[in-house]
Amino acid sequence: MTGRERIFTAMNRQEPDRVPCDFGFTPALLEIFKEKTGAENPAEYWNFGEGWAGFKPTATKTDFTRYHPEGIPEGARVGEMGEVDLPGSFFHFTKKQYPLDHETNLSDLQEYPWPVYEDPARYSHLPAEVARLHEEGKYVIGGVGHIWEVAWAITSMPKLMMQFLEDPAQAGFLLDKITAIKLTVTRELVKAGVDSISCGDDVGMQDRLMMSPATWRRWLKPRWAEVWALAKSLNPDVQIFYHSDGKIQEIIPDLIDMGLDILNPVQPECIDPAWAKQEYGRDLAFWGCVGTQTTFPFGTPAEMKATVKHLIETVGQGGGLFLAPTHVLEPEVPWENILAFLEAVEEYGYY
């Protein structure tokens, strides 16, 4: 099977020739990979089988300085929505600076310099890019991104949570504006022929949801449902991939009702992957399942192999499993555990 055939089959809850897998590295581990292998690209070196497609950045950069009166420090990354990531302690451990984390009204949001996604220059390359990846045998994932996480990156999480209660007009406008962007992105990606769309919002903590299920169902469920319905209307076979870390059991039935195909990352410290397979394996495939808080950094190679074997025998039964760490691999992950993961997939992963 090609990577595309293998992943599409597995995520369609059928048995491919073997269990697909992948992982990503933080910069420190990437350097170790280069030293150990002499290669530059882990995905190409191990032929993981998927490729990504997405919109190009806007050609016109918006000046968001007036929305950051405290200034934008040197080295900070300014996103298209005006959100700012400040250098933190390590790589993705950044700090945030919010452009609308001050007293605002609905007019402020209406006048905000929202980025333009309807520009064909941002997506006209997609059909050719997807076709090229398909010719290489890749399963093509279209990056749609987030709604909740983008919203709070603009206005701050505490403020947005309070607006849910005290100013639903502002909260609704902000979420609708972002949803409209996600609809545009989804439309062009699916029209270009991607195999799946990747989206998500981290709404889970280690032991509970960040908000009540009722709050999630009011503010986020209908917006994602609209995005997924658009994708399926354009191509009923496109697979919907949704990411949320943490303990999100309470909303899994909702996600299924909305049309979800693939749940990621199924963080084993919060959700037992074997339980998830037993409860929801008729409707969902599972991408992830190997803990980056436990097995990858702190397990032995033998424990890693035992974990992979157990996941293949339970979650992988009948298909429906893509093995991966539940997050990008951090510097404390031993190289021996990475090799043990790959060796276990090779040893136990054939159907």
Side-chain angles (χ1 to χ4, degrees), residues 186-234:
T186 296
R187 182 183 67 245
E188 298 305 328
L189 286 168
V190 177
K191 285 170 57 180
V194 299
D195 298 300
S196 70
I197 61 165
S198 172
C199 53
D201 278 319
D202 279 332
V203 293
M205 298 188 290
Q206 198 75 7
D207 60 349
R208 74 198 79 175
L209 288 169
M210 290 182 181
M211 61 192 78
S212 71
T215 299
W216 179 85
R217 289 173 185 134
R218 177 181 177 186
W219 292 103
L220 297 175
K221 179 179 178 177
R223 292 173 169 89
W224 277 125
E226 184 180 3
V227 173
W228 299 356
L230 172 64
K232 292 289 190 178
S233 73
L234 295 170

Side-chain angles (χ1 to χ4, degrees), residues 44-221:
E44 292 179 1
Y45 181 78
W46 281 300
N47 192 25
F48 284 145
E50 73 267 26
W52 285 78
F55 272 46
K56 290 182 178 179
T58 179
T60 304
K61 301 295 184 182
T62 302
D63 183 2
F64 288 99
T65 304
R66 70 187 183 97
Y67 292 97
H68 296 278
E70 64 272 65
I72 299 175
E74 185 176 350
R77 185 190 69 83
V78 183
E80 285 192 354
M81 304 281 188
E83 74 281 19
V84 170
D85 282 322
L86 305 171
S89 59
F90 167 73
F91 186 47
H92 52 145
F93 294 176
T94 59
K95 301 175 183 178
K96 301 290 185 182
Q97 194 166 289
Y98 312 98
L100 293 180
D101 187 20
H102 54 268
E103 191 68 32
T104 58
N105 54 46
L106 190 56
S107 296
D108 294 326
L109 272 68
Q110 292 168 337
E111 295 169 3
Y112 192 69
W114 298 99
V116 176
Y117 279 76
E118 293 80 7
D119 180 2
R122 303 195 64 177
Y123 58 77
S124 59
H125 67 288
L126 287 172
E129 182 177 347
V130 173
R132 176 184 60 81
L133 291 168
H134 280 163
E135 288 175 4
E136 296 173 2
K138 303 292 188 183
Y139 173 90
V140 183
I141 305 168
V144 172
H146 316 289
I147 295 176
W148 156 249
E149 292 186 47
V150 172
W152 69 250
I154 294 172
T155 198
S156 86
M157 190 182 294
K159 182 181 176 184
L160 182 56
M161 287 283 204
M162 291 302 298
Q163 287 180 340
F164 285 168
L165 299 173
E166 297 179 343
D167 199 336
Q170 280 201 66
F173 181 92
L174 177 62
L175 292 174
D176 285 344
K177 193 71 178 180
I178 297 166
T179 301
I181 291 171
K182 302 307 173 183
L183 288 166
T184 297
V185 173
T186 296
R187 182 183 67 245
E188 298 305 328
L189 286 168
V190 177
K191 285 170 57 180
V194 299
D195 298 300
S196 70
I197 61 165
S198 172
C199 53
D201 278 319
D202 279 332
V203 293
M205 298 188 290
Q206 198 75 7
D207 60 349
R208 74 198 79 175
L209 288 169
M210 290 182 181
M211 61 192 78
S212 71
T215 299
W216 179 85
R217 289 173 185 134
R218 177 181 177 186
W219 292 103
L220 297 175
K221 179 179 178 177

Side-chain angles (χ1 to χ4, degrees), residues 206 265-273 288-301 303-305 307-308 311 324-330 332-334 337-338:
Q206 198 75 7
V266 199
Q267 189 179 343
E269 299 85 6
C270 307
I271 301 174
D272 177 8
C289 301
V290 186
T292 53
Q293 293 177 324
T294 49
T295 308
F296 258 106
F298 304 122
T300 64
E303 289 168 338
M304 171 63 75
K305 289 187 175 183
T307 296
V308 169
L311 289 168
T326 54
H327 202 271
V328 65
L329 294 179
E330 306 290 353
E332 63 266 26
V333 173
N337 281 0
I338 296 168

